[in-house]
């Protein structure tokens, strides 16, 4: 295909870790390629940021640092976590810690460091709204930056718009009703006002346990009520054999399975990622809870087998109705803030498509090819997806584990189809 300067090879929608990984793969490819690949990334945020609202000091990564943006694809990459440590002058200091797990703050700094290399290739503050086919298999991507319309034409698009915070139906976030993605700025704001007396945290996953821990440590006079449907927090399975479900090869092995087998794998290994908590954090919360019982002043409280049935913002507090599924009784609790740690949902990548229609399976889920393209009706336009592929490529889809290798696979597919 002839190379036209006005037509890009690829436009990336979103510039989180997944498309940052792609930018790195493209840059490394271009160093030696006879025909370089041109790429532009459109990102809604004003600057690079990775789940900023949950950058709790001390919170650790749930993935080994070697599963960074590049190493598993190219162990000698200049964009690996080790290169970052060397650039920051902390390589030896990090090694002395003898852990595979950096803090999230440090990993955010790593991602920001990597992203800064691509400032010329990213249009920040740009929200993509629409992708349509223009003819000759090209794609026009349009969006808004400030009040202005922005557009780009490319041979391929890679949608990697990540996860969106999910609140229960009917719940709207506000001053006193937060999703945990608002936690860190919310706490910073509260810390400048009158001391809060009570928090309610809904959920039993990692973000819920981290929110309980952070609120309890940040406000030494406040009670923190954890409300969850389970009997207690359950540990994340981070053991070596189970971890193989995140191996690079696992994505294609999973893809080769029947829908029944894929479903079984996801159910069997759900506890590697969903509704589970890092065992160290469980132990720390239990120890603190027990110590408070010994002291006779319990600030940390656990409402097991309970659901939050309603919550009402009364202006100066929020009233929370908690129902026990054990005896069916309900009680009201007034709190300064309720934090819903009720998860995230993958955005439907087809929401951008104004032209070709995406094919769906018998459960209504988008059909994706092995090389991460949307299957489109009557069109072979190249629309790749990162993230929203858990039903086709397995549990690593929404995580960091596979970004390095997956972006290499997407680049190889792209190159074979457009160059
Ligand atoms: P991500 O959501 O990071 O990025 C998507 C980007 O697209 C965002 O920057 C967004 O602004 C942008 N965007 C969305 N819509 C857009 C539009 N219309 N136009 C333009 N841009 C748009 N995983 C793991 O493996 N180990 C871990 O330790 C953790 N820890 C962790 C902590 C917390 C608090 C959360 C919420 C999640 C994790 N994860 C994780 C999982 C997490 O999904 C993963 O770390 C990456 O964020 C996935 O990267 P993506 O680029 O796919 O999505």
């Amino acid at each position: 295909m002839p190379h036209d300067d006005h037509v890009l090879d690829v436009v990336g929608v979103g510039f989180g870790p997944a498309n940052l990984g792609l930018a790195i793969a493209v840059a490394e490819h271009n160093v030696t390629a006879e025909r370089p690949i041109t790429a532009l990334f459109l990102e809604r945020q004003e600057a690079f940021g990775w789940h900023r609202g949950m950058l709790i000091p001390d919170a650790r990564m749930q993935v080994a640092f070697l599963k960074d943006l590049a190493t598993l694809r190219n162990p000698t990459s200049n964009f690996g976590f080790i290169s970052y440590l060397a650039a920051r002058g902390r390589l030896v200091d990090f090694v002395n810690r003898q852990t595979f797990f950096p803090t999230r703050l440090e990993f955010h700094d790593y991602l920001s460091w990597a992203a800064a290399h691509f400032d010329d290739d990213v249009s920040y503050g740009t929200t993509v709204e629409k992708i349509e086919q223009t003819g000759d298999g090209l794609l026009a991507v349009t969006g808004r930056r400030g009040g202005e319309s922005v557009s780009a034409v490319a041979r391929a698009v890679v949608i990697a718009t990540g996860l969106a915070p999910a609140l229960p139906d009917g719940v709207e976030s506000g001053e006193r009703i937060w999703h945990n993605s608002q936690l860190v700025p919310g706490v910073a704001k509260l810390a400048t006002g009158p001391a809060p007396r009570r928090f309610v945290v809904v959920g039993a996953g990692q973000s819920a346990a981290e929110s309980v821990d952070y609120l309890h440590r940040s406000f030494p006079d406040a009670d923190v009520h954890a409300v969850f449907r389970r009997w207690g927090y359950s540990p994340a399975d981070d053991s070596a054999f189970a971890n193989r479900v995140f191996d690079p090869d696992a994505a294609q092995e999973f893809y080769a399975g029947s829908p029944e087998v894929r479903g079984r794998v996801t159910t069997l290994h759900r506890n590697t990622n969903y509704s589970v908590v890092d065992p160290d954090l469980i132990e720390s919360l239990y120890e603190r809870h027990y110590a408070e019982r010994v002291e006779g002043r319990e600030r940390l409280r656990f409402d097991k087998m309970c659901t939050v049935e309603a919550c009402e913002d009364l202006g100066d507090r929020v009233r929370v109705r908690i129902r026990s599924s054990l005896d069916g009784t309900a009680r009201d609790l007034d709190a300064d803030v309720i934090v819903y740690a009720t998860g995230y949902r993958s955005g439907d990548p087809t929401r951008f498509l104004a032209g070709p229609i995406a094919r769906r399976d018998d459960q209504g889920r988008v059909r994706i090819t092995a090389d991460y393209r949307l299957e489109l009706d009557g069109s072979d336009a190249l629309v790749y997806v990162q993230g929203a592929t858990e039903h086709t490529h397995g549990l690593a889809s929404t995580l960091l584990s596979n970004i390095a290798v997956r972006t290499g696979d997407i680049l190889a597919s792209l190159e074979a189809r457009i160059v």
Side-chain angles (χ1 to χ4, degrees):
M1 182 179 283
H3 192 209
D4 173 344
D5 281 344
H6 301 292
V7 177
L8 291 151
D9 290 320
V10 58
V11 165
V13 181
F15 197 61
N19 267 347
L20 171 54
L22 180 66
I24 292 170
V26 168
E28 293 184 345
H29 162 89
N30 286 352
V31 172
T32 52
E34 268 178 39
R35 153 76 162 83
I37 302 254
T38 53
L40 172 71
F41 297 88
L42 307 175
E43 166 56 47
R44 185 172 60 185
Q45 298 185 87
E46 295 295 335
F48 183 85
W50 176 63
H51 301 299
R52 283 181 184 276
M54 281 295 281
L55 288 182
I56 297 170
D58 306 342
R60 296 281 186 108
M61 294 300 292
Q62 246 84 53
V63 68
F65 72 85
L66 289 170
K67 290 185 173 177
D68 56 35
L69 298 168
T71 299
L72 291 191
R73 176 181 51 76
N74 174 13
T76 60
S77 169
N78 290 332
F79 291 95
F81 191 76
I82 290 177
S83 297
Y84 152 79
L85 287 172
R88 289 284 195 253
R90 288 200 306 270
L91 182 53
V92 171
D93 294 334
F94 184 86
V95 172
N96 285 336
R97 294 174 70 231
Q98 301 193 30
T99 174
F100 273 93
F101 303 99
T103 63
R104 274 214 295 273
L105 272 173
E106 185 172 32
F107 208 77
H108 185 271
D109 190 51
Y110 157 64
L111 294 172
S112 306
W113 166 86
H117 291 78
F118 298 96
D119 278 349
D120 292 344
D121 303 323
V122 186
S123 174
Y124 286 105
T126 303
T127 302
V128 170
E129 293 170 338
K130 196 164 66 175
I131 300 170
E132 46 192 341
Q133 208 166 335
T134 57
D136 299 339
L138 297 179
L139 293 156
V141 182
T142 47
R144 300 203 80 74
R145 184 173 54 225
E148 288 179 10
S149 174
V150 177
S151 67
V153 177
R155 298 185 169 87
V157 170
V158 182
I159 301 172
T161 46
L163 303 167
L167 286 167
D169 285 347
V171 175
E172 278 192 24
S173 64
E175 280 288 300
R176 298 186 179 278
I177 301 174
W178 305 347
H179 183 268
N180 67 273
S181 55
Q182 301 163 259
L183 186 74
V184 170
V187 164
K189 204 169 153 199
L190 272 189
T192 61
R197 310 295 306 169
R198 184 180 287 144
F199 295 93
V200 172
V201 178
V202 190
Q206 179 70 21
S207 292
E210 287 183 6
S211 300
V212 167
D213 173 61
Y214 186 49
L215 291 166
H216 186 263
R217 286 189 289 136
S218 302
F219 300 102
D221 296 321
D223 292 355
V224 182
H225 285 248
V227 181
F228 39 68
R229 291 201 182 103
R230 308 169 72 103
W231 206 272
Y233 297 120
S234 297
D237 185 352
D238 189 27
S239 56
F241 285 107
N243 236 301
R244 286 182 159 172
V245 79
F246 302 124
D247 283 359
D249 289 349
Q252 295 307 330
E253 287 178 282
F254 183 94
Y255 189 87
S258 66
E260 291 70 30
V261 169
R262 290 179 189 169
R264 195 140 38 92
V265 174
T266 306
T267 305
L268 281 171
H269 293 286
R270 243 187 106 69
N271 67 344
T272 51
N273 186 37
Y274 291 108
S275 304
V276 286
V277 180
D278 179 29
D280 289 346
L281 181 53
I282 296 180
E283 195 181 317
S284 152
L285 286 173
Y286 194 87
E287 280 303 306
R288 234 178 300 162
H289 170 56
Y290 185 76
E292 288 184 349
R293 297 202 63 189
V294 172
E295 286 162 22
R297 161 82 176 102
E298 282 185 61
R299 294 203 295 118
L300 207 44
R301 291 171 182 273
F302 300 94
D303 288 327
K304 64 176 187 287
M305 304 300 292
C306 282
T307 48
V308 167
E309 216 170 61
C311 77
E312 191 185 355
D313 189 340
L314 302 175
D316 61 342
R317 62 200 188 286
V318 61
R319 179 154 297 162
V320 183
R321 169 148 291 207
I322 299 169
R323 188 173 295 278
S324 162
S325 61
L326 289 173
D327 59 14
T329 57
R331 74 187 212 281
D332 286 344
L333 198 64
D334 284 359
D336 294 85
V337 168
I338 181 168
V339 180
Y340 281 95
T342 41
Y344 296 78
R345 63 173 72 92
S346 234
D348 179 351
T350 65
R351 69 192 186 281
F352 298 111
L353 290 187
I357 293 173
R359 291 196 187 124
R360 296 191 177 263
D361 65 16
D362 54 12
Q363 293 181 51
R365 302 170 302 191
V366 285
R367 296 177 66 95
I368 310 254
T369 62
D371 59 353
Y372 302 95
R373 283 175 295 119
L374 284 179
E375 282 188 27
L376 302 170
D377 251 349
S379 164
D380 51 11
L382 300 176
V383 182
Y384 292 84
V385 174
Q386 300 203 64
T389 61
E390 196 175 86
H391 59 297
T392 51
H393 290 76
L395 281 157
S397 294
T398 61
L399 303 177
L400 299 166
S401 333
N402 231 350
I403 287 178
V405 172
R406 182 176 67 215
T407 51
D409 292 348
I410 291 175
L411 177 64
S413 161
L414 199 67
E415 206 194 351
R417 286 164 194 281
I418 66 171
V419 176

